[in-house]
Amino acid sequence: MKIGVIGGGQLGRMLALAGTPLGMNFAFLDPAPDACAQALGEHIRADYGDLDHLRQLADEVDLVTFEFESVPAETVAFLSQFVPVYPSAEALRIARDRWFEKSLFKDLGIPTPDFADIQSQADLDAAVASIGLPAVMKTRTLGYDGKGQKVLRKAADVTGAFAELGSVPCLLEGFVPFSGEVSLIAVRARDGETRFYPLVHNTHVNGVLNLSIASTQHPLQKLAEDYVGRVLKALDYVGVLAFEFFEVDGGLKANEIAPRVHNSGHWTIEGAECSQFENHLRAVAGLPLGSTRLLSPVVMLNLLGDMWPAEITLPDWAPLFEDGEAFLHLYGKRRAIGRRKMGHANFLGATTEDCLKRAEAMKAKWLANGRSGS
Ligand code: AMP
């Protein structure tokens, strides 16, 4: 079976790493000459709106999936004429636009911050008057890793904020005084069978995911499954979906969904019986789903560009290999610019505390040698 993937970054690469042993082949459509998935399959180097190359992809593969959600709706509609596409065009339409996404949560009775659609500075002024400050303003589309958003704390922050975010359609959200951020990775098969991984606690640094901490018995697991299950069913979803929540007052408020495999699910490669990548492929290919059971407490640490001593040079991984229960995943990106995601490491162990301690110690060591410490 040949799978077409829109996007050729690390998520596409890890899909191929999971699917190759299952006898699958891959073609990635990505305009970047150095798309890091190209080592694992065919690279069709073209823009996402290039109909000739989209047609070529559709002709070559059995089905198409995505590694990011900001794909133009027309691209999905075009491909869907020739080849099955999972998740569906409708799921992507909702997930790529924060207004549609939050409106769906509201319709399904899933708690979410107060929100308002902003098409002008006047809309923003009116929304601030009703939602209040502090609040968070986000572009409706194309935002990721904290980009395309601004926290409004005082009246002066509101002045000119619409222009500051590029005068594009935005959403204003009430600020959630959360005690933690968690995500639930779920997978739904073509026949509707649904499985959930254990709820994961996530920490961020400057809007970029830093650590994901997975352990069983989270008290909010069932509640999260209920909310995520509603969305999966409403969208007749096929594949892996990641759902991010704020933990607040002992409950959950929905933040956002990603219609794809997700950074906060990378721990599943060694930490779960069947990884998010394999389960996504099983779902879209119409195969039975794999077990989402946690094998051991596990912590995932993102390896960002600032941990690299200099561009191209690699940090010294020896301490990680000496650890024995730590697993390195590098994405094959050649340039470590800023806080770019270069790889991740999964730390397994007897207790969550032990995994966390080792991950934090390793990170401190790399940062001390990296550019931020030099
Ligand atoms: P997002 O791109 O929506 O995931 O937002 C990036 C990060 O900004 C989140 O992980 C939160 O730490 C923070 N954030 C986003 N929305 C809110 C909110 N309504 N209230 C408080 N913090 C938020």
Side-chain angles (χ1 to χ4, degrees), residues 130-186:
S130 72
I131 290 176
L133 294 179
V136 187
M137 189 175 169
K138 305 177 176 179
T139 56
R140 277 179 52 169
T141 61
L142 299 173
Y144 69 98
D145 289 345
K147 294 192 177 74
Q149 58 180 273
K150 180 177 161 69
V151 179
L152 309 178
R153 297 190 186 279
K154 48 190 191 312
D157 298 338
V158 180
T159 313
F162 184 69
E164 242 177 86
L165 282 188
S167 300
V168 293
C170 285
L171 199 76
L172 186 75
E173 284 179 24
F175 188 90
V176 181
F178 57 80
S179 56
E181 292 186 77
V182 294
S183 59
L184 191 74
I185 310 287

Side-chain angles (χ1 to χ4, degrees), residues 159-237:
T159 313
F162 184 69
E164 242 177 86
L165 282 188
S167 300
V168 293
C170 285
L171 199 76
L172 186 75
E173 284 179 24
F175 188 90
V176 181
F178 57 80
S179 56
E181 292 186 77
V182 294
S183 59
L184 191 74
I185 310 287
V187 58
R188 189 169 184 271
R190 287 196 205 167
D191 66 3
E193 187 197 353
T194 301
R195 297 193 182 192
F196 303 96
Y197 287 93
L199 202 57
V200 176
H201 178 77
N202 300 310
T203 66
H204 299 81
V205 176
N206 297 331
V208 181
L209 184 64
N210 173 39
L211 292 165
S212 289
I213 304 160
S215 48
T216 46
Q217 317 282 333
H218 195 293
L220 295 171
Q221 177 79 27
K222 285 290 159 219
L223 185 64
E225 288 185 10
D226 171 21
Y227 293 157
V228 178
R230 290 184 209 181
V231 168
L232 292 171
K233 211 164 162 208
L235 296 175
D236 193 15
Y237 194 86

